[in-house]
Amino acid sequence: MTDDLRYPLGRFSSKGTRLSPDERREHIDRIDAHPGNLRKAVDGLTDEQLDTPYREGGWTVRQVVHHLVDSHLNAYVRFKLGVTEDNPTIRPYDQDAWAATAEAATGSLELSLPLLEGLHRRWAAFLRALSGDDFLRTVRHPEMDADLSLDVLLELYGWHCGHHEAHITGLRERAGW
C-alpha cells in the first residue's frame, strides 16, 4: 500500500519475464475472485456514497465499478485476439470518455455487477485452459508502441482488479463508511 490515492497498491510493474505456472494461477485466481471482492467493497453504500469520488479529481465509486466492466470486457477481447491471431494490434479507448457516459456516471451498479460476474467466470475459465506457450503470444499496443505478451497482460489485469478494489475500500476507510 502507498499513500498515493491514485495508486494505492503502487503503480503497475511487470515482472518482465515469463511467469511461472504458480504466478499465472495467482493472477487468474485474483481475476476470478474480483467480482466477489468488488461486491463486498460496495456493499451497503448509498447513492450519495456511490457518487463520491475516491480521490479529488477522480472517478466516483459508481464510475469505478462501471469502468471495471468496460476495461475487463476490452481485456477479455485482447486475450482472445492474442490467442487466435498473430500479434494483433489491440484497440485503445478513452477511459475517461467511457466513464462519463450516462450509464457509467449515473447507472445502477446492477447494470455492471452481474455482467462482471459472468465475464470473469468465462475469462478465468479461458485463462485456465491456456498452455504456458499461449501466454508467450503477444498483442501490439499502439499507445505504448510495444508488443506485450499475454503474461504481461495477465499481470496487468491481476493488478488492475486489486488496484480499483483498493480505491473503493480505501475511500470507505478514510470516510468511515
Side-chain angles (χ1 to χ4, degrees):
M1 294 292 241
T2 71
D3 292 335
D4 184 346
L5 298 180
R6 287 181 40 204
Y7 299 101
L9 303 181
R11 289 184 178 267
F12 171 71
S13 177
S14 173
K15 182 179 169 187
T17 61
R18 182 178 184 152
L19 297 176
S20 72
D22 286 341
E23 289 168 324
R24 286 189 191 115
R25 193 170 19 264
E26 180 181 315
H27 290 296
I28 295 168
D29 288 348
R30 214 175 276 137
I31 288 167
D32 197 19
H34 177 62
N37 294 341
L38 186 61
R39 274 210 185 263
K40 287 178 193 158
V42 299
D43 185 49
L45 293 179
T46 65
D47 279 335
E48 181 180 353
Q49 291 166 330
L50 291 172
D51 292 331
T52 302
Y54 74 89
R55 66 172 174 85
E56 187 175 327
W59 291 334
T60 67
V61 172
R62 184 183 311 274
Q63 287 174 302
V64 169
V65 171
H66 294 307
H67 159 73
L68 284 159
V69 171
D70 293 340
S71 174
H72 294 179
L73 282 166
N74 276 284
Y76 175 73
V77 169
R78 290 169 177 178
F79 274 93
K80 293 283 276 200
L81 289 170
V83 169
T84 62
E85 297 180 15
D86 186 28
N87 196 39
T89 298
I90 59 175
R91 189 175 186 300
Y93 66 101
D94 183 337
Q95 296 178 68
D96 289 324
W98 284 43
T101 60
E103 91 293 353
T106 64
S108 165
L109 298 190
E110 288 306 311
L111 293 172
S112 287
L113 290 173
L115 181 56
L116 191 75
E117 290 161 351
L119 172 64
H120 276 244
R121 277 194 306 274
R122 177 136 182 218
W123 189 13
F126 169 74
L127 292 170
R128 285 189 175 105
L130 296 180
S131 71
D133 287 342
D134 287 331
F135 285 97
L136 301 180
R137 296 181 61 88
T138 60
V139 297
R140 180 80 183 158
H141 197 302
E143 287 180 332
M144 298 174 74
D145 193 27
D147 295 336
L148 305 175
S149 72
L150 297 189
D151 266 340
V152 170
L153 286 185
L154 183 61
E155 287 179 288
L156 173 62
Y157 288 104
W159 169 85
H160 191 252
C161 293
H163 167 70
H164 285 303
E165 290 165 16
H167 282 151
I168 297 167
T169 58
L171 172 60
R172 289 189 79 149
E173 288 172 18
R174 290 189 310 277
W177 299 338

